[in-house]
Amino acid sequence: MKILLTAFDPFGGETVNPAQEALKQIQAPAPDMELIKLVVPTVFGASTQAVHEAMVLHQPDVVLCIGQAGGRTAITVEQIAINLMDAAIPDNQGNQPHDEPVFADGADGYFSTLPVKDMVAAIRNAGIPAAISYSAGTFVCNQLMYGVLYHIHHEFPNTRGGFVHVPYIPVQTSTMNRPTPSMALEDLVRGLEAALRVL
Amino acid sequence: MKILLTAFDPFGGETVNPAQEALKQIQAPAPDMELIKLVVPTVFGASTQAVHEAMVLHQPDVVLCIGQAGGRTAITVEQIAINLMDAAIPDNQGNQPHDEPVFADGADGYFSTLPVKDMVAAIRNAGIPAAISYSAGTFVCNQLMYGVLYHIHHEFPNTRGGFVHVPYIPVQTSTMNRPTPSMALEDLVRGLEAALRVL
Amino acid sequence: MKILLTAFDPFGGETVNPAQEALKQIQAPAPDMELIKLVVPTVFGASTQAVHEAMVLHQPDVVLCIGQAGGRTAITVEQIAINLMDAAIPDNQGNQPHDEPVFADGADGYFSTLPVKDMVAAIRNAGIPAAISYSAGTFVCNQLMYGVLYHIHHEFPNTRGGFVHVPYIPVQTSTMNRPTPSMALEDLVRGLEAALRVL
Amino acid sequence: MKILLTAFDPFGGETVNPAQEALKQIQAPAPDMELIKLVVPTVFGASTQAVHEAMVLHQPDVVLCIGQAGGRTAITVEQIAINLMDAAIPDNQGNQPHDEPVFADGADGYFSTLPVKDMVAAIRNAGIPAAISYSAGTFVCNQLMYGVLYHIHHEFPNTRGGFVHVPYIPVQTSTMNRPTPSMALEDLVRGLEAALRVL
């Protein structure tokens, strides 16, 4: 199985992105799994285009995108992406869309086509907190998940796709004054590898 | 410097106590630091007596007690213990005091005599979330902190004492349905060792 | 403008439903607005059927459904309903579906066709906390919102529909030991009337 | 019974203080209760001096101080004040003490001498969320509670004293983007009157 695994670069004033740090360390958890790793810019449009190009090039069986969801306590597997961009902060190129669709001709929402519940169960069985999330937000993460699923629906009928959000890592929250949950990078890696195992 | 380091056994239906697990792994972070480790029962009275006996026997320079504060996002260094026992759940011997003082002739509260702010800064500098806490609750943890400080005030004028609360570890929260923060055991150990360094 | 306004009866062990209590008191905020009020059972299927019948009978311009979202701090206007029923507790007739679609032939999600942002702004301008929500959950509330939008898409092209979640009222949280936000019934009513004004 | 009831003026960038707004509306809930109302500045030192002067002048049986604790979900009756000023923001005269005692010769902490649990129960019985709090913080509120109890211990042996924190009111949180609990002013007033009834 060929898996295209993506993560974003740092954004919103952070100097690291735990998704990107995890991506570096993740190893294929099974001999028949090939991981193609791609770091994408935290930019509306450009992130989806980068993943689309990689999909055309590598023809993966699965596209799994990883992003940071600061403030969450668990690794969360997203259920649905929505056709809405509404940014509270600018992306890494200064874009800040409001009330715009990701694709004007897209459906309101697309469900993940990955086994969301099985992935959550697998992470939890590894002793790591996990949950389903029913909203990937309205920033670049949701835009990428939506874009990938849009392209899958239109061009790649044999590819499955989905998104996983990871919490902050401790080095990020250690300087915050407001109580904010985090998860060790080692546990992010172990949790994500556990999720890969059930794809 | 001789440091008596204590942790509680599991309570409240949990099968592990992260404080106890951390205690096993903590190593003296400086050559002139001697650690005396003691696991105490999560029992009103008995826990304080066990630590008192160890204080008499070992005459430590510092008593640092460690306990679990499930739900917190950071290692928290306690500022004050209060002369009040008011238990929402029974302790490990079935005691559940309500509105009782720890020591009838004690002050309303005793401040930690450890460098609370320095300990927090040291843990944060190690990249691990930490904060001061102004309440150790009204269960066995606060009772032990209060008891140790009471004995210090009455019998051990040259000993310093305090309490640190640690979050759940991921294996505990991975089975909870409500979003609950946790911290990796490795980070608890590193954070506590960083705090020891500034005693 | 004819508005069909619905609310659920109490569920999950509660003896009141703040949505139902608010429905009783809401008054049309404009002379050209006619409110048709309907209490629906907190039951999968039956709730949607009841609203469908009322839509056939009254041919409303707008269907606005109101439900309780215990734990939220604000009146939240839902952006999207999803084609998924996954119940953590049984509904009021003992049904507890898992991983089932609301309608097998429905889209993955349907956006609210009400002016979500304007409604939020109107409630806030009335001095009452409000926010957009991007998940109505996977219980009966989401099912009803999805069902109404499904019927609108298939049968009622000139009708607009959406859903608003309200927090607990204080009488519900006054007996809870865990800190839980609430909002006064009077503020729910005022907030909902402010939202109606911009439909 | 003569009750000196105090509240602070707005601070921290807010234009209202819910404690002050509640103070205006509170009425004595029993014919034998006389309320003396005093608004005090949110200033270290000056607030305690103002209340001390009023205690000398009026010789009240009870001093009950009210303050805002933004972010709490319930009316909270404080158990203890501590001898520590450590301000995260400046007070209304620009003072921002760090690690200073309220009174150099004071005890580490003073318990409220009001019936904390009975007050919580009375508020809850009125259908309004309430809880005991074990920390009044380290800002002006704690300083005033500590100062009042210090003066009671040293000069007014027949006076009882304590502190109640109230949540934000909705008009404050309606403009905040982060979800923040609030409580209607009417409920603050009703809850505080219920608490007065059991003094």
Side-chain angles (χ1 to χ4, degrees):
Chain A
M1 189 185 304
K2 196 188 285 188
I3 300 176
L4 176 60
L5 206 60
T6 82
F8 290 103
D9 57 5
F11 67 94
E14 297 289 332
T15 56
V16 296
N17 187 317
Q20 183 182 7
E21 300 306 310
L23 185 72
K24 290 178 193 167
Q25 298 191 16
I26 291 171
Q27 297 186 353
D32 65 341
M33 245 179 215
E34 179 193 353
L35 299 188
I36 300 156
K37 298 181 180 182
L38 181 70
V39 176
V40 295
T42 303
V43 174
F44 286 102
S47 50
T48 296
Q49 287 158 28
V51 178
H52 182 257
E53 282 170 25
M55 291 171 74
V56 171
L57 180 66
H58 298 291
Q59 299 288 328
D61 300 292
V62 169
V63 182
L64 178 59
C65 304
I66 315 170
Q68 165 190 299
R72 294 195 183 168
T73 62
I75 298 177
T76 47
V77 185
E78 297 295 341
Q79 173 68 42
I80 189 166
I82 66 175
N83 196 11
L84 182 64
M85 300 186 291
D86 198 36
I89 57 171
D91 71 15
N92 283 355
Q93 281 187 355
N95 309 300
Q96 192 169 0
H98 290 296
D99 303 318
E100 293 179 29
V102 182
F103 283 99
D105 65 345
D108 288 354
Y110 289 120
F111 280 148
S112 171
T113 52
L114 299 181
V116 169
K117 272 203 174 172
D118 291 349
M119 294 166 76
V120 168
I123 302 169
R124 286 178 158 218
N125 285 342
I128 294 166
I132 303 176
S133 164
Y134 297 100
S135 172
T138 57
F139 193 55
V140 179
C141 288
N142 170 73
Q143 171 262 169
L144 178 59
M145 180 179 174
Y146 186 91
V148 167
L149 291 166
Y150 175 93
H151 289 312
I152 283 175
H153 277 266
H154 288 76
E155 293 176 56
F156 303 91
N158 298 318
T159 302
R160 293 176 298 147
F163 199 100
V164 174
H165 265 121
V166 295
Y168 285 129
I169 50 178
V171 73
Q172 295 176 286
T173 63
S174 66
T175 57
M176 298 178 185
N177 284 321
R178 182 184 287 270
T180 308
S182 62
M183 188 179 288
L185 179 56
E186 292 71 19
D187 287 337
L188 296 186
V189 173
R190 281 204 306 128
L192 291 165
E193 288 178 354
L196 289 176
R197 234 172 251 123
V198 296
L199 293 183
Chain B
M1 190 186 302
K2 197 188 282 187
I3 300 176
L4 176 59
L5 206 59
T6 82
F8 290 102
D9 57 4
F11 67 93
E14 297 289 333
T15 56
V16 297
N17 187 317
Q20 185 183 6
E21 298 307 310
L23 186 70
K24 290 179 193 167
Q25 297 191 17
I26 291 171
Q27 297 186 353
D32 65 340
M33 246 180 212
E34 180 192 350
L35 299 188
I36 300 156
K37 297 181 179 183
L38 182 69
V39 176
V40 295
T42 302
V43 174
F44 286 102
S47 51
T48 296
Q49 288 159 27
V51 178
H52 182 258
E53 282 170 24
M55 291 170 75
V56 171
L57 181 65
H58 298 291
Q59 299 288 327
D61 300 293
V62 169
V63 182
L64 178 58
C65 304
I66 315 169
Q68 165 190 299
R72 294 195 184 169
T73 61
I75 298 178
T76 47
V77 185
E78 296 294 343
Q79 173 68 41
I80 189 165
I82 67 174
N83 196 11
L84 182 64
M85 299 186 292
D86 198 37
I89 57 171
D91 71 14
N92 283 355
Q93 282 187 356
N95 308 300
Q96 193 169 0
H98 290 296
D99 303 317
E100 293 180 28
V102 182
F103 284 99
D105 65 345
D108 287 353
Y110 289 120
F111 279 148
S112 170
T113 52
L114 300 180
V116 169
K117 272 202 173 172
D118 291 348
M119 295 166 75
V120 167
I123 301 169
R124 286 178 157 218
N125 284 341
I128 294 165
I132 304 177
S133 164
Y134 298 100
S135 173
T138 57
F139 193 55
V140 179
C141 288
N142 170 73
Q143 171 263 171
L144 177 59
M145 180 179 174
Y146 186 91
V148 166
L149 291 167
Y150 175 93
H151 289 313
I152 283 175
H153 277 267
H154 287 77
E155 291 176 59
F156 303 91
N158 298 317
T159 302
R160 293 177 298 148
F163 199 100
V164 175
H165 265 121
V166 296
Y168 284 128
I169 50 178
V171 73
Q172 294 177 286
T173 63
S174 66
T175 57
M176 298 178 183
N177 284 322
R178 181 185 287 269
T180 308
S182 62
M183 187 178 288
L185 180 56
E186 292 70 20
D187 288 337
L188 297 185
V189 173
R190 281 203 307 129
L192 291 165
E193 288 177 354
L196 289 176
R197 234 172 251 125
V198 295
L199 294 182
Chain C
M1 190 187 302
K2 196 188 282 187
I3 300 176
L4 175 61
L5 205 59
T6 82
F8 290 102
D9 56 6
F11 67 94
E14 297 290 332
T15 55
V16 297
N17 188 318
Q20 184 182 7
E21 299 305 310
L23 185 71
K24 289 179 194 167
Q25 297 190 18
I26 291 171
Q27 297 186 354
D32 64 340
M33 246 181 212
E34 179 193 351
L35 299 188
I36 300 156
K37 298 182 180 182
L38 181 71
V39 175
V40 295
T42 302
V43 175
F44 286 102
S47 50
T48 296
Q49 286 159 28
V51 177
H52 182 258
E53 283 170 24
M55 290 170 75
V56 171
L57 181 65
H58 298 290
Q59 300 287 329
D61 301 291
V62 169
V63 182
L64 178 59
C65 305
I66 314 169
Q68 165 189 299
R72 293 195 185 169
T73 61
I75 298 178
T76 47
V77 185
E78 297 294 342
Q79 172 69 42
I80 189 166
I82 66 175
N83 195 12
L84 181 64
M85 300 186 290
D86 198 37
I89 56 171
D91 71 14
N92 283 354
Q93 281 187 356
N95 308 301
Q96 191 169 2
H98 289 297
D99 303 317
E100 293 179 29
V102 181
F103 284 98
D105 64 345
D108 287 353
Y110 289 119
F111 279 147
S112 170
T113 52
L114 300 180
V116 168
K117 273 202 172 172
D118 291 349
M119 293 165 77
V120 168
I123 302 169
R124 286 178 158 218
N125 284 342
I128 294 165
I132 303 177
S133 165
Y134 297 99
S135 173
T138 58
F139 193 54
V140 179
C141 288
N142 171 72
Q143 171 263 171
L144 177 59
M145 180 179 174
Y146 186 91
V148 166
L149 291 166
Y150 175 93
H151 289 312
I152 284 175
H153 277 265
H154 287 77
E155 292 175 59
F156 303 91
N158 298 317
T159 302
R160 292 177 298 147
F163 199 100
V164 174
H165 265 122
V166 295
Y168 284 129
I169 51 177
V171 73
Q172 293 176 286
T173 64
S174 65
T175 57
M176 298 179 183
N177 284 321
R178 181 185 289 268
T180 308
S182 62
M183 187 178 287
L185 179 57
E186 291 71 20
D187 287 337
L188 297 186
V189 173
R190 280 203 308 130
L192 291 165
E193 289 178 353
L196 289 176
R197 234 172 251 125
V198 296
L199 293 182
Chain D
M1 189 185 305
K2 196 189 285 188
I3 301 176
L4 175 60
L5 206 59
T6 82
F8 290 102
D9 56 6
F11 67 94
E14 296 289 333
T15 55
V16 297
N17 187 317
Q20 184 182 7
E21 299 306 310
L23 185 71
K24 289 178 193 166
Q25 298 192 17
I26 292 171
Q27 298 186 352
D32 65 340
M33 246 179 213
E34 179 193 352
L35 300 188
I36 300 155
K37 298 181 180 183
L38 182 69
V39 176
V40 296
T42 303
V43 174
F44 286 102
S47 51
T48 296
Q49 287 158 28
V51 177
H52 182 258
E53 281 169 26
M55 291 170 74
V56 170
L57 180 67
H58 297 291
Q59 299 288 328
D61 300 292
V62 169
V63 181
L64 178 59
C65 305
I66 315 170
Q68 165 190 301
R72 295 195 182 168
T73 62
I75 297 178
T76 47
V77 185
E78 296 294 342
Q79 173 67 42
I80 188 167
I82 66 175
N83 195 11
L84 182 64
M85 300 186 291
D86 198 36
I89 57 171
D91 71 14
N92 282 355
Q93 282 188 354
N95 309 299
Q96 191 169 3
H98 289 296
D99 303 317
E100 293 179 28
V102 182
F103 284 99
D105 65 344
D108 287 354
Y110 289 120
F111 280 148
S112 171
T113 51
L114 300 180
V116 168
K117 271 202 174 172
D118 291 349
M119 293 165 76
V120 167
I123 302 169
R124 286 178 158 219
N125 284 342
I128 294 165
I132 304 177
S133 165
Y134 297 99
S135 173
T138 57
F139 193 54
V140 179
C141 289
N142 171 73
Q143 171 263 168
L144 178 59
M145 180 180 175
Y146 186 91
V148 166
L149 291 167
Y150 175 93
H151 289 313
I152 283 175
H153 276 266
H154 287 78
E155 292 177 56
F156 303 91
N158 298 319
T159 302
R160 292 177 298 147
F163 199 101
V164 174
H165 265 122
V166 295
Y168 284 128
I169 50 178
V171 73
Q172 293 176 288
T173 63
S174 65
T175 57
M176 298 178 185
N177 283 321
R178 180 185 289 270
T180 309
S182 62
M183 187 178 288
L185 179 57
E186 292 70 20
D187 287 336
L188 297 186
V189 173
R190 281 203 306 126
L192 290 165
E193 288 177 354
L196 289 176
R197 234 171 250 124
V198 296
L199 294 184

